[in-house]
Amino acid sequence: MNLDIVFSGDGFAYAREFDEEAVYSLLISPIVNWFKSRYGSLTPPQKMAIPYIKSGYNILVSSPTGTGKTLAVFLPIIDDLYRLALNNELKDQIYVIYVSPLRALNNDMQKNLIQPLAEIREYVRNELGVEVDIRVAVRTSDTLPSEKSRMLRSPPHILITTPESLALALNAPKFREKLATVRWVVVDEVHEMASSKRGSHLVLSLERLVDLVGKDFQRIGLSATISPLEDVARFLAGFSSDGSPRPIVIADARFSKPIDIRVVTPRLDLVYTPASVLNEAIYEELTKLVLQHRTTLVFTNTRSATESVVYKLKKSLSSNGVVDADEIEAHHSSLSRDVRLEVEDKLKKGLLRVVVSSTSLELGIDIGYIDLVALLSSPKSVTRLLQRVGRAGHNAYEVSKGVIIVVDRDDLIECAVLSKLALERKIDRVKIPRKPLDILAQHIVGMAIEKPRTVDEILAIVRRSYTYHDLSEDELMTVINYLAGRYPSLEDYNVYAKIRYDEETKTVSRRKGARMIYQLNVGAIPDEVKVAVFAVIDNKKKYIGDLEEGFVEILTPGDIFVLGGKTYKVLAIHPTHVVVEPAKGERPTVPSWFSEMLPLAYDSAIEVGKFRRVIAEMIKTMPKNYVIEWLIREYRIEPHAAEYIYDYIYQQLLFTKGKIPSDKLILVEIWPDREKMATNIIFHSLFGRRVNDVLSRAYAYVLADIMRENVKISVTDNGFMLTIPGHVSVHQIRKAINSVSSQNVEDIARRAVRKTELFKKRFRHCAERAFMLLRRYKGVDVSIARRQVNAEKIIQVVEKYEKFPIIEETYREILEDFMDLTHAKEVLRKIESGEIKIEIIESFYAPSPFAHNIVAYGYSDVVLMEDKRKLIARLQDMVKKVLEGEIGQSLRSSAKQEMGVSINS
């Protein structure tokens, strides 16, 4: 077959879709006959991928769930294995490694491969009279020692594993050599791995595997909808030894499956309706949808919300006798693996009517037939929206149906924008971590265990990967010096050398005991931990429960949160526990699920800002009915939802005399809280929570320095609020804003995060990955509490050293992976160039309508929801009084002058 393939200078070529019969001609007839009898016809990704895989090209296949990606890559590989067998050339060796991020996906894959292989075997026997046994085996941390021994005696032709288990296999003394015969590596869910340190871990393993095999193997990646495909393809393919990009074909079938997404808004006042009434309306809508469909998958944005929704649905659906309570289940990462597998199994067998999940069912586990995906509030990114909705209609030609149910005005705008972007296929860009030094440390130890290597050899191997392509020798040497024990003061804290380094020959080699450390501590996923909470009551400390470590990361003394239905104020945070005091009647400042909340993607946030600007311009210049009709038509929303959006933006226009925060304007609003004798400085900064996290900390840090006062920070996707005791002048705020630039923001942000719990916890994670703190030593688990105490002692020592790699990696992880320093710098550059304006206004009587959700930020759990809605209703009352009173007359008149007389009331 003539593929007519031409690679660009960057090493990319784009797959075309081939004629079905031409694709079948590449496969042996038993496989073709089996496939036709089972599936009927090839899907677009299959018609694109099979010819290129058969021709030996590296390829990235991107298409939605249920479009046959897995068979697209395995059919040509199985065909090649059968051809080897038919020529008596199939040996007892590993030909294929299949890597996926989930152990559950591995088990799923074994089932999905073993059954087709068994059926194909029958077809081959019947048609060709030959008996062929292609073996498949799973090797993960769950694999029993007896199964691993069996793999040594009789290696599988197809090995299914995880990134962590692959790294272990590369250093397993006996099994390592079994990997030297690999011809194909299939990486599933590439989009999931590329954006995390697990992906960085995997690409280094792949380059070490190339070193072991002695030549390049064929790389095949499977990805759901993601962008930009070129970055993900380069991540998968890496670079050749000469530094040139390895050629890779991109099979872009992301939009081969039809989708239908609509936004549903409760027909209630989104401000004044009490939480209990709004919740009832949401559950009524959800119940109606469930009863109209056979199987509904419901996504929430937090684990706590998942449990709450399951409880309510069981109550409402089983009470009418139509749906049995046993047909409604939860699925999230806090549930045990056995429970999750049982839920997945019930789904596949069609035994469930409803499954409610947080993020755990976004990945491509085969969950059988789903005919509707319902999302409770915004999924926070177009990519995630498409992945979630793509779970419905589980075949290549069936429409994937999705419904988003909104919960407030900001949510309505966000969901309307995201659903339109999804239908227009405008996807958020993936962010791939670059040069994580803790992962590099792990692999240097792994390479030293294999055999002595020079610095040049190590550099050549790691630079072939996309993630470490720009690694300098100086950066590599900082890690080698740490691993070789060049910081003797660390030995006082039981941090010993893991490798030997010969200065003269620049050679790295193994040190006694390193193999055990590597085997027991390899991996990129930090251990989850619960932190004990003690309340001081009557001068005595009493244990009252536990908090997730991710939640403790964002706490500071003085914060108020809910635990067990009661409010507590943070007094002190220790490595092993948190000390609080009862804060009865005080409004919580941190919702208990906040650490779980998904941040709005930067690209999507920009589009939300643009939407607000465009609608504001339309309101200023066009009749109301035209704007409403345009919203209904362009965004496929209900008439009452369009009215809500119009009224919300119109009110903001009146209140701020025509100033609408957007992608082009950051509006800074000063609102004095006379009750608390404090000033709230609200930054309407529509760039997503991760960018706002950087900007808020930087501005708060310089403002605290100017005012010599502590500054409290509240961050949302649409802005942030700095609260400071006493009066703050416009001059002081301007001075703070002007003190932060694209040049110095990184330095200021580093100083701002250094003393936080976030820094202490993340340092521990990085230190564990870099084998500085051992999770397990000589077969014994080291408690997380002890590791955290040790981490805080070690920080004091190592931060005195310039550019100590694990300190540098902690800052990089916080500012680049957890926050978004890159785009924060981009925003600041646009401010400096004048592309983004900053304006300051003073709201003496009430915060503007757009500020209400920032003041009472985020969603709330059951305990806080009522409080949050009451607060927003109270703020809206204040806005109404301002707009309806004498001040309002003056505001309206000046607003109309500013905006033009055609504005509608």
Side-chain angles (χ1 to χ4, degrees), residues 257-531:
K257 192 176 179 185
I259 57 166
D260 177 47
I261 303 170
R262 55 193 184 91
V263 176
V264 170
T265 309
R267 232 173 246 278
L268 297 165
D269 189 305
L270 292 179
V271 177
Y272 288 107
T273 305
S276 55
V277 178
L278 183 64
N279 277 340
E280 281 310 309
I282 288 168
Y283 285 112
E284 273 175 34
E285 191 63 51
L286 202 47
T287 302
K288 197 162 65 184
L289 291 168
V290 167
L291 295 175
Q292 286 168 357
H293 296 87
R294 197 178 88 190
T295 310
T296 304
L297 175 57
V298 181
F299 279 106
T300 68
N301 285 348
T302 66
R303 294 188 293 269
S304 51
T306 296
E307 293 292 352
S308 173
V309 171
V310 166
Y311 173 77
K312 292 272 182 58
L313 283 179
K314 282 192 174 192
K315 209 170 165 186
S316 64
L317 282 166
S318 59
S319 62
N320 62 26
V322 179
V323 178
D324 194 298
D326 291 339
E327 294 178 289
I328 304 164
E329 294 281 10
H331 189 292
H332 57 75
S333 55
S334 293
L335 294 169
S336 76
R337 184 168 167 270
D338 288 346
V339 170
R340 294 200 307 271
L341 287 173
E342 188 184 336
V343 172
E344 290 160 23
D345 198 48
K346 282 183 179 176
L347 251 182
K348 279 180 213 174
K349 290 175 178 170
L351 301 175
L352 298 177
R353 286 292 299 274
V354 188
V355 174
V356 186
S357 175
S358 49
T359 56
S360 55
L361 284 178
E362 285 176 0
L363 293 187
I365 301 164
D366 180 13
I367 51 174
Y369 183 81
I370 302 283
D371 50 351
L372 177 73
V373 168
L375 296 89
L376 290 181
S377 106
S378 166
K380 298 292 175 182
S381 90
V382 181
T383 307
R384 185 174 285 108
L385 175 56
L386 286 167
Q387 280 170 16
R388 288 180 171 186
V389 173
R391 307 255 51 184
H394 208 86
N395 72 51
Y397 302 103
E398 199 169 326
V399 175
S400 290
K401 260 175 78 178
V403 170
I404 317 172
I405 303 174
V406 307
V407 299
D408 63 34
R409 297 181 296 184
D410 284 339
D411 194 40
L412 167 57
I413 288 177
E414 200 173 291
C415 292
V417 171
L418 291 185
S419 65
K420 183 171 171 62
L421 290 170
L423 292 167
E424 291 174 351
R425 313 303 210 244
K426 291 177 181 170
I427 310 167
D428 306 289
R429 291 166 293 172
V430 68
K431 195 162 190 286
I432 301 172
R434 300 307 292 265
K435 299 189 285 191
L437 300 179
D438 48 356
I439 298 296
L440 179 62
Q442 262 187 51
H443 279 280
I444 290 171
V445 173
M447 285 189 268
I449 293 167
E450 288 169 16
K451 63 182 181 185
R453 296 176 189 274
T454 65
V455 169
D456 287 345
E457 284 179 277
I458 292 171
L459 205 52
I461 290 169
V462 298
R463 277 183 178 165
R464 290 200 304 255
S465 72
Y466 172 85
T467 311
Y468 295 92
H469 188 57
D470 301 325
L471 186 78
S472 69
E473 186 172 335
D474 286 347
E475 287 169 319
L476 175 65
M477 285 311 302
T478 65
V479 180
I480 287 175
N481 285 332
Y482 144 65
L483 289 171
R486 296 298 167 94
Y487 300 91
S489 55
L490 285 174
E491 293 193 359
D492 297 338
Y493 300 91
N494 299 318
V495 179
Y496 299 101
K498 310 295 185 297
I499 60 171
R500 296 185 188 281
Y501 177 61
D502 186 314
E503 194 89 50
E504 213 169 295
T505 60
K506 292 183 76 176
T507 301
V508 169
S509 58
R510 63 178 291 187
R511 187 176 277 270
K512 190 179 177 185
R515 184 182 295 280
M516 182 179 284
I517 287 170
Y518 183 86
Q519 286 174 333
L520 294 176
N521 295 276
V522 84
I525 305 169
D527 288 339
E528 289 287 324
V529 62
K530 299 275 188 187
V531 180

